[in-house]
Amino acid sequence: MQSFCYYCPTKVLFGKDSEQQVAQQVQEFGGSRVFVVYGGGSVVRSGLLGRVQSALDGANLPCRMLGGVQPNPRLGLARQGVQEALSFGADFILAVGGGSVIDTAKAIAHGVAEPSVDIWDYWEGTRTVQKSLPVGVILTISAAGSEMSDSSVLTNEETGVKRGLSTPFNRPRFAVMNPELTYTLPAYQVACGIVDIMMHTLDRYFTPTKGNQLTDAFAEALLRTVIANGRTAMQDSHDYEAMSELMWCGSVSHNGLTGLGAAVDFVPHKLGHELSGKFDVAHGASLAVMWGAWAAYSWREHPERFVQFAREVWGIQSGSEQERAEAAIRETVQYFQSLGMPTDFTSLGIGVQSDEVLWGMADKATRGDAMRLGSFKPVNKEAAFAIYQLANQ
Ligand code: NZQ
Ligand code: ZN
């Protein structure tokens, strides 16, 4: 087991009607003027935003709203949010939505705390976040795990670059998780969420680190739970138990627990971000496309890991090492397909791409071949191109 620091300070309020506690939680974490961030309108239509407004009004907490966050959230709106939150005098940022809204709220919080810095500098890595405003979350989709994670992912719409920032300042103070708030999700978003939740654990589980028993057991249990409840959720998005399991798995899958003590990989995520940055495809869909290609390219590096995955997650006990590894890859890809998820560029809707496009994405993902991605089988620009080629059909 590798040394680790586990810092996961987010207070979780889970269950039916938990959003009723929002005003009290804002006050507990020192908020008195609340800047509320939301997306394209689902929380308006569901009535959730109105209930949040009433709760804040009832507690005499002035608030200002910023809507319009798109999936693959844009830098431009985050910058606008910083200016609006500053002019309002916000001391607390409340995200009402999914990963895109939460990540925008985190960016606004950093920008308000340090107005002299252009927030993109943090995502470029030329500056380090030194302070931030407190962020609270009311979660409406089980997927990105941003409600407990130390990450925030933004897209610079001027350059088409999608980039993640990890810092302890990204951890929200509290996360309200009411599974009933996810009942209004379209099936496609439920499916994207299931894939993303699985991928946050798979991208940690496929590691060269050996002998990490408890972390492995957490990871395998989480994957089995998501696979089973994902099937139920796709049949009935009003199944409270299934939506509850997905919601809690979504948070635990990306709060660090399923990768503790291990060198994490995250190559499919990094390659998927280039797809979303260039083609504006849903994050979960990009991962469903990249994972099978990545696995086919990488499994021979540590075949025993795929054999363990085959046994513990898919119940595959027989066959040669190669047969088990390939069967587990097939099962996973077929599971994604059973959710209606794409597993190559054609089913993703972008069509077969030229080598030039693949090299361009490989170049961006590896920052001009200056970065090696991942740990399971480290990936340079040439390897990234080879993985894109496997998905390019
Ligand atoms: O915008 P609205 O109208 O709210 O609609 C959204 C959006 O169209 C809809 N939606 C959300 N909750 C709903 C709902 N529709 C009906 N009923 C509800 N209850 O779902 C669509 C997708 O929303 P989005 O916030 O984009 O989803 P998700 O949570 O999957 O977030 C994806 C973003 O998070 C990033 C991704 O890259 C992507 O940009 N990630 C963030 C991470 C992090 N911060 O830790 C880690 C992840 O790996 C990921 O990269
Ligand atoms: Zn993800």
Side-chain angles (χ1 to χ4, degrees):
M1 194 185 292
Q2 294 189 350
S3 305
F4 61 83
C5 165
Y6 190 52
Y7 174 70
C8 187
T10 306
K11 179 176 178 182
V12 175
L13 300 121
F14 192 99
K16 292 180 183 176
D17 301 325
S18 47
E19 68 275 16
Q20 288 175 4
Q21 302 175 55
V22 65
Q24 187 193 327
Q25 296 306 317
V26 167
Q27 287 169 322
E28 189 177 314
F29 288 98
S32 62
R33 296 181 68 80
V34 187
F35 193 74
V36 180
V37 185
Y38 64 96
S42 71
V43 299
V44 177
R45 292 189 293 277
S46 69
L48 174 62
L49 198 67
R51 297 206 301 281
V52 170
Q53 167 105 55
S54 304
L56 297 175
D57 288 349
N60 293 319
L61 290 168
C63 69
R64 165 101 45 107
M65 307 269 177
L66 175 72
V69 175
Q70 295 166 257
N72 300 317
R74 311 302 199 265
L75 171 64
L77 189 71
R79 282 185 178 141
Q80 180 189 329
V82 172
Q83 294 314 316
E84 290 187 18
L86 279 169
S87 73
F88 173 64
D91 58 12
F92 195 97
I93 314 293
L94 180 65
V96 186
S100 298
V101 168
I102 303 167
D103 289 357
T104 304
K106 290 175 178 180
I108 294 170
H110 304 335
V112 173
E114 194 58 88
S116 62
V117 174
D118 174 27
I119 49 174
W120 188 244
D121 289 353
Y122 298 133
W123 273 259
E124 282 281 33
T126 52
R127 292 222 188 214
T128 318
V129 182
Q130 301 291 344
K131 54 182 172 173
S132 192
L133 251 55
V135 172
V137 173
I138 300 178
L139 186 64
T140 64
I141 171 171
S142 310
S146 184
E147 65 278 6
M148 289 184 88
S149 82
D150 70 351
S151 308
S152 166
V153 186
L154 285 187
T155 297
N156 183 331
E157 62 271 44
E158 285 164 17
T159 59
V161 170
K162 183 174 182 182
R163 202 150 276 171
L165 164 73
S166 292
T167 161
F169 289 102
N170 274 336
R171 302 271 189 187
R173 295 296 208 281
F174 69 81
V176 164
M177 298 186 210
N178 174 0
E180 288 183 331
L181 298 180
T182 66
Y183 285 178
T184 49
L185 279 167
Y188 185 75
Q189 291 299 337
V190 176
C192 283
I194 292 166
V195 173
D196 198 17
I197 296 168
M198 289 177 67
M199 285 305 310
H200 291 149
T201 288
L202 291 171
D203 271 354
R204 291 174 164 91
Y205 182 78
F206 286 103
T207 168
T209 311
K210 297 203 171 17
N212 214 353
Q213 292 177 30
L214 181 62
T215 294
D216 279 2
F218 277 143
E220 288 153 359
L222 186 139
L223 290 166
R224 289 192 301 266
T225 306
V226 175
I227 290 165
N229 287 282
R231 287 194 180 107
T232 310
M234 291 306 291
Q235 298 297 318
D236 179 9
S237 71
H238 287 56
D239 186 309
Y240 184 78
E241 294 307 324
M243 299 313 264
S244 300
E245 296 290 351
L246 289 184
M247 192 167 245
W248 185 225
C249 283
S251 298
V252 173
S253 194
H254 202 36
N255 74 8
L257 196 64
T258 61
L260 282 185
V264 301
D265 187 73
F266 276 90
V267 169
H269 258 82
K270 300 231 163 83
L271 300 184
H273 282 342
E274 298 308 326
L275 282 178
S276 290
K278 187 165 180 61
F279 298 104
D280 202 16
V281 295
H283 173 61
S286 78
L287 300 174
V289 168
M290 291 319 307
W291 189 81
W294 168 85
Y297 179 83
S298 308
W299 73 265
R300 285 183 180 81
E301 196 73 6
H302 301 283
E304 71 288 351
R305 198 68 179 149
F306 275 84
V307 167
Q308 181 177 336
F309 172 61
R311 185 183 65 242
E312 300 298 332
V313 175
W314 292 111
I316 299 164
Q317 307 267 14
S318 61
S320 67
E321 194 173 66
Q322 176 164 355
E323 283 166 348
R324 293 183 202 203
E326 288 179 345
I329 295 170
R330 211 165 37 244
E331 288 282 355
T332 309
V333 170
Q334 283 173 358
Y335 181 72
F336 292 162
Q337 289 167 342
S338 77
L339 303 172
M341 283 283 98
T343 49
D344 57 28
F345 284 6
T346 301
S347 50
L348 184 62
I350 64 173
V352 174
Q353 296 295 316
S354 66
D355 281 2
E356 193 188 343
V357 168
L358 304 193
W359 279 119
M361 291 193 295
D363 187 70
K364 271 190 184 169
T366 57
R367 307 224 185 157
D369 210 17
M371 265 174 68
R372 294 287 166 278
L373 309 178
S375 62
F376 189 79
K377 178 173 179 174
V379 164
N380 61 10
K381 182 172 162 180
E382 203 176 322
F385 174 80
I387 298 171
Y388 280 130
Q389 263 188 324
L390 290 170
N392 192 27
Q393 44 185 295

